[in-house]
Amino acid sequence: MKLSYPPAPTAKVVEELHGVQIPDPYRPLEDPQAPETRAWIEAQNRLTFGYLEQIPLRETLRRRLEELWNYPRVLSFFKRGGRYFSLRNDGLQNQNVLYVQEHLEAAPRVLLDPNTLSEDGTVALSNYAVSPDGRYLAYALSKSGSDWLTWRVREVETAQDLPDEIRWSKFSSAAWLPDGSGFFYSRYDEPAEGTDYTGANYFQKVYLHRLGTPQQQDVLVYERPDQKEWGFQAFVTHDGRYECLHVWRGTHRENLFFYRPHGSEERFVELVGEFVASFEFIRNQGSRFYFKTNLEAPRGRVVVVDVARGGLETLETLVPEGEDTLSFAEPAGDGLVLGYLHHASHRLELVDLEGRSRGRLPLPTLGMVPLVAGEEDDPELFYGFTSFLYPLTLYHHHLTTGQTQPLFTPPLQFDPSLYETHQVFVPSRDGTRIPLFLVHKKGLQLNGQNPTLLYGYGGFNIPMTPAFNPGRLVWLEQGGVFAQACLRGGGEYGEDWYRAGTLERKQNVFDDFIACAEWLIAQGYTKPQRLAIQGGSNGGLLVGAALTQRPELFGVALPAVGVLDMLRFHKFTIGWAWVSDYGSPDNPEHFQYLRAYSPLHNLKPGTHYPATLITTADHDDRVVPAHSFKFAAALQAAQGGPAPILIRIQTKAGHGLGKPTRMLIEEQADIYAFTLHQMGLA
């Protein structure tokens, strides 16, 4: 089909940055409410959906995705105040439902069903916390995928809401007081009119809300008007003795940690007063505070600080750094449960409060543990396991008896025995070995003809572990190979691996990804025309950089909600927080390497770019859709080849969190139909 792309609104905008003239002709697309932008969005969607509707396989894929998605699942499980709480979905519900049960053998009853709160399923349960006695639920709703939260309170016994309502909260939990009379939360000032989804978020503050009082009466607990970038997570220790503040600054790994006696009006004690390392609080035993930290331990260790004896000078190593990366540490009865990453797959180990090992918890195969839920001084521990071919299975471990039993095993209309998963290590440009997971049908022929989807992220210390996604099963059923790369910048091998993919070293991430693509071709898995690359958010940047640097290497590019304008990302919502990974365009030195790989600024007119389907959403206030809008307009204008450049703009959705099931199915059907069509397989 010969495509005629809708003309984008333009302006003669040229900025001088550090002595360099930077044209920005599509600057008008940064205003999502401008009539010209709205008209362009509608025209692009007409073009995109008109194109997709002509692909015969699209509806077949959608129906099969619906079948695969339609299975009951338990997504979280925890105990609080003697009651058991779980997040469940019966299959095709747009939003997951929160349940409660009085004991493990009791039938769960619905506590909160977000599906009843909107007709189209775009109101999502984004966060929740149960009071220590199990009496109250504080829950946060978000609308249309926005990061903005509205907190409400529900009585667990009756499933009825109290009149309490809290607005303009973002990046916040709810931390209950020991007596359940109220909770701490974090919020920003109300944004100026019209800037809800684009304005920069600075000066987060901590408040205390007492049940039954209006938000206007909430008590300001902590603020730092001298530190606009600081954010806060408040909590009260399990024993009720201390109020604590985890202080974060953007996406920096380093954090501060403050505490004071609960109920005190004293100033917080700055136990960790400088951004020197990460200190993640695990639990306390009286005045002994346990932390997971990377201080002098790039792969992580567990330490204990006795605040009754002093500050960090009392720090002792409880569990030293090992060969594997310490991914998480959580309380478990009278001890801890530690999650380690071994070549991007999890293993679980129990230790006591002196650091002595109590053995490992059983896991069925290579995979990941996305949830662990235990309480201090409670012998029950719950954990979940999943992998590429197996949906989340829930386990119950009794710390006293040592017995482990499956608590919930989901049924699935898919036979995983027909497929296999294995891991290889690919040399990058500089010789670094990059782990690459491969999933495909058994007996795959290495004839260079297999449709292959290469997925990556490579940033923010986030590891790419073997995660289950029902949508990918459709790709495998179509004879596809799924490849997931563990790139530098991620969290697979600790702090050094992460740092190797940040700032002026960000090009390493793109080199790693390109090396994996070249390896797949060289080993006979596929060929460029049948190789698709995919990533979202920071992974969208990855795809954008790869397609601009090596357009001939790929047949299809699928950047989702990507950071694509590296010279203006810091000017919107929480974008300023990403300078820890990317650097700041306001810094002359950082500007040079950001400009060198910024996808928007490295498009060359007349180049034959691969077929590209850009996906974004109109309510994305994490990575504002202007990134995708401007990149789509520029790529359409630059395309010198016949491959289509399309953008799919989801309405009433955001960065991805809380997206209704129906939207997920429709979007994945469109992505796979587009990809297989471009490969000549639809």
Side-chain angles (χ1 to χ4, degrees):
M1 180 193 302
K2 183 173 176 58
L3 299 179
S4 177
Y5 298 115
T10 59
K12 294 181 179 179
V13 177
V14 179
E15 283 188 330
E16 183 174 310
L17 296 177
H18 311 294
V20 180
Q21 299 294 309
I22 305 294
D24 194 7
Y26 301 110
R27 179 73 62 86
L29 289 172
E30 290 183 358
D31 182 358
Q33 302 305 323
E36 296 83 2
T37 303
R38 302 306 305 176
W40 181 84
I41 291 172
E42 292 172 5
Q44 290 286 351
N45 271 344
R46 281 196 302 271
L47 174 68
T48 296
F49 288 110
Y51 186 95
L52 295 170
E53 286 166 2
Q54 297 188 48
I55 301 175
L57 189 60
R58 183 194 189 205
E59 181 57 24
T60 302
L61 292 173
R62 191 200 63 76
R63 287 197 302 269
R64 181 57 179 147
L65 280 164
E66 194 170 86
E67 292 173 353
L68 289 167
W69 231 288
N70 192 12
Y71 70 96
R73 47 199 179 272
V74 178
L75 302 162
S76 73
F77 199 98
F78 64 96
K79 185 178 181 181
R80 195 78 75 243
R83 288 177 161 133
Y84 299 88
F85 298 83
S86 56
L87 201 62
R88 300 168 182 256
N89 196 303
D90 64 15
L92 295 176
Q93 289 173 293
N94 277 319
Q95 299 293 340
N96 302 320
V97 180
L98 188 63
Y99 287 79
V100 62
Q101 57 198 89
E102 302 304 321
H103 53 85
L104 283 179
E105 289 72 33
R109 62 178 172 88
V110 174
L111 176 57
L112 177 64
D113 184 358
N115 296 290
T116 65
L117 303 179
S118 63
E119 292 185 2
D120 58 3
T122 57
V123 173
L125 176 62
S126 293
N127 209 339
Y128 52 91
V130 178
S131 61
D133 59 4
R135 182 180 177 185
Y136 294 113
L137 168 76
Y139 66 95
L141 301 177
S142 66
K143 295 181 179 180
S144 301
S146 170
D147 282 332
W148 287 115
L149 305 176
T150 299
W151 287 94
R152 301 296 306 270
V153 179
R154 178 162 292 198
E155 192 174 45
V156 173
E157 185 68 34
T158 64
Q160 296 298 309
D161 281 346
L162 304 182
D164 305 62
E165 182 178 84
I166 293 168
R167 302 186 66 209
W168 304 118
S169 177
K170 186 183 277 195
F171 313 127
S172 174
S173 58
W176 282 97
L177 299 178
D179 63 1
S181 63
F183 55 86
F184 298 105
Y185 68 95
S186 303
R187 62 161 291 183
Y188 294 96
D189 290 337
E190 182 175 348
E193 185 176 356
T195 66
D196 302 20
Y197 300 108
T198 57
N201 302 134
Y202 290 117
F203 298 111
Q204 195 183 54
K205 302 172 185 177
V206 179
Y207 284 86
L208 172 62
H209 175 74
R210 295 281 184 180
L211 296 189
T213 63
Q215 184 176 6
Q216 293 84 345
Q217 294 180 15
D218 289 354
V219 177
L220 176 63
V221 174
Y222 196 83
E223 67 172 333
R224 286 299 294 265
D226 60 326
Q227 299 290 347
K228 69 177 185 178
E229 295 183 351
W230 286 15
F232 311 96
Q233 291 289 349
F235 62 94
V236 181
T237 55
H238 180 78
D239 60 8
R241 289 182 57 179
Y242 300 97
E243 297 171 5
C244 304
L245 291 176
H246 176 102
V247 185
W248 51 271
R249 182 184 59 172
T251 51
H252 289 270
R253 308 312 302 169
E254 303 81 9
N255 66 280
L256 311 181
F257 183 86
F258 305 160
Y259 75 94
R260 71 182 182 188
H262 171 58
S264 169
E265 297 297 326
E266 302 173 10
R267 292 172 58 91
F268 281 90
V269 177
E270 297 187 2
L271 181 63
V272 181
E274 297 182 5
F275 290 97
V276 294
S278 68
F279 281 85
E280 299 175 25
F281 182 85
I282 309 169
R283 62 172 295 169
N284 72 305
Q285 186 183 39
S287 62
R288 289 168 60 83
F289 285 19
Y290 293 79
F291 294 94
K292 171 185 172 291
T293 183
N294 61 8
L295 180 68
E296 299 175 355
R299 290 183 298 280
R301 58 174 171 153
V302 177
V303 300
V304 60
V305 178
D306 192 335
V307 298
R309 295 195 298 113
L312 288 185
E313 69 275 5
T314 71
L315 183 148
E316 302 173 5
T317 297
L318 192 80
V319 180
E321 180 183 34
E323 290 298 317
D324 291 333
T325 301
L326 181 58
S327 180
F328 59 82
E330 299 289 343
D334 60 351
L336 310 173
V337 56
L338 309 179
Y340 287 95
L341 279 176
H342 179 74
H343 295 316
S345 288
H346 275 129
R347 64 176 177 86
L348 292 179
E349 184 173 353
L350 295 170
V351 299
D352 65 19
L353 292 183
E354 300 302 320
R356 296 182 290 259
S357 177
R358 290 175 167 173
R360 294 188 181 183
L361 291 174
L363 299 176
T365 183
L366 291 178
M368 68 175 294
V369 178
L371 76 92
V372 170
E375 279 198 302
E376 299 170 38
D377 307 319
D378 190 297
E380 292 186 291
L381 180 69
F382 304 94
Y383 65 95
F385 175 84
T386 186
S387 66
F388 292 118
L389 297 172
Y390 296 90
L392 183 66
T393 298
L394 189 67
Y395 292 90
H396 173 254
H397 178 82
H398 200 285
L399 293 161
T400 303
T401 65
Q403 291 185 332
T404 301
Q405 293 181 329
L407 192 63
F408 182 84
T409 302
L412 191 65
Q413 299 181 58
F414 178 81
D415 185 359
S417 67
L418 302 176
Y419 302 84
E420 61 180 323
T421 300
H422 57 108
Q423 188 180 45
V424 298
F425 294 87
V426 175
S428 189
R429 183 177 182 178
D430 61 1
T432 301
R433 282 164 36 99
I434 308 303
L436 180 68
F437 288 106
L438 296 167
V439 190
H440 52 74
K441 285 183 178 178
K442 291 178 179 178
L444 181 80
Q445 293 185 7
L446 300 183
N447 56 13
Q449 300 299 315
N450 302 295
T452 300
L453 181 61
L454 174 61
Y455 182 87
Y457 187 80
F460 298 98
N461 206 33
I462 297 173
M464 288 291 101
T465 49
F468 182 76
N469 181 331
R472 290 182 183 142
L473 304 183
V474 163
W475 180 257
L476 298 175
E477 289 180 335
Q478 294 293 319
V481 176
F482 177 73
Q484 181 167 288
C486 301
L487 312 170
R488 281 176 284 186
E492 292 84 359
Y493 295 107
E495 194 72 13
D496 294 341
W497 182 263
Y498 160 63
R499 297 290 178 193
T502 63
L503 302 174
E504 74 276 9
R505 300 170 294 275
K506 188 68 177 176
Q507 183 59 42
N508 285 337
V509 183
F510 313 139
D511 289 344
D512 295 350
F513 197 58
I514 289 168
C516 289
E518 293 176 328
W519 185 91
L520 288 165
I521 295 168
Q523 296 298 314
Y525 282 90
T526 191
K527 59 183 179 181
Q529 295 85 347
R530 291 193 174 174
L531 176 59
I533 51 174
Q534 183 182 40
S537 196
N538 174 75
L541 162 63
L542 170 69
V543 172
L547 81 87
T548 53
Q549 293 182 17
R550 293 291 303 277
E552 82 291 349
L553 192 57
F554 317 108
V556 180
L558 303 165
V561 292
V563 188
L564 298 162
D565 181 349
M566 300 310 297
L567 302 186
R568 288 178 61 78
F569 70 87
H570 61 317
K571 295 183 178 294
F572 304 98
T573 61
I574 200 65
W576 58 265
W578 311 330
V579 299
S580 58
D581 261 56
Y582 300 146
S584 172
D586 297 334
N587 180 306
E589 181 181 346
H590 297 177
F591 165 77
Q592 295 299 329
Y593 62 73
L594 286 166
R595 182 185 175 219
Y597 71 73
S598 176
L600 179 65
H601 300 93
N602 283 278
L603 294 168
K604 297 178 175 60
T607 302
H608 285 224
Y609 288 106
T612 302
L613 178 59
I614 302 162
T615 52
T616 187
D618 64 348
H619 281 69
D620 190 344
D621 51 2
R622 185 82 58 83
V623 180
V624 294
H627 283 274
S628 295
F629 293 172
K630 292 165 66 175
F631 186 68
L635 185 55
Q636 288 174 348
Q639 176 65 301
I645 308 296
L646 301 176
I647 180 169
R648 186 186 189 279
I649 306 159
Q650 183 69 60
T651 57
K652 297 193 72 176
H655 198 59
L657 186 67
K659 186 176 287 187
T661 297
R662 63 172 179 82
M663 285 189 186
L664 292 172
I665 291 173
E666 291 167 358
E667 183 177 81
Q668 292 214 16
D670 287 348
I671 288 171
Y672 292 136
F674 176 84
T675 301
L676 291 168
H677 179 65
Q678 303 309 317
M679 295 177 176
L681 299 170

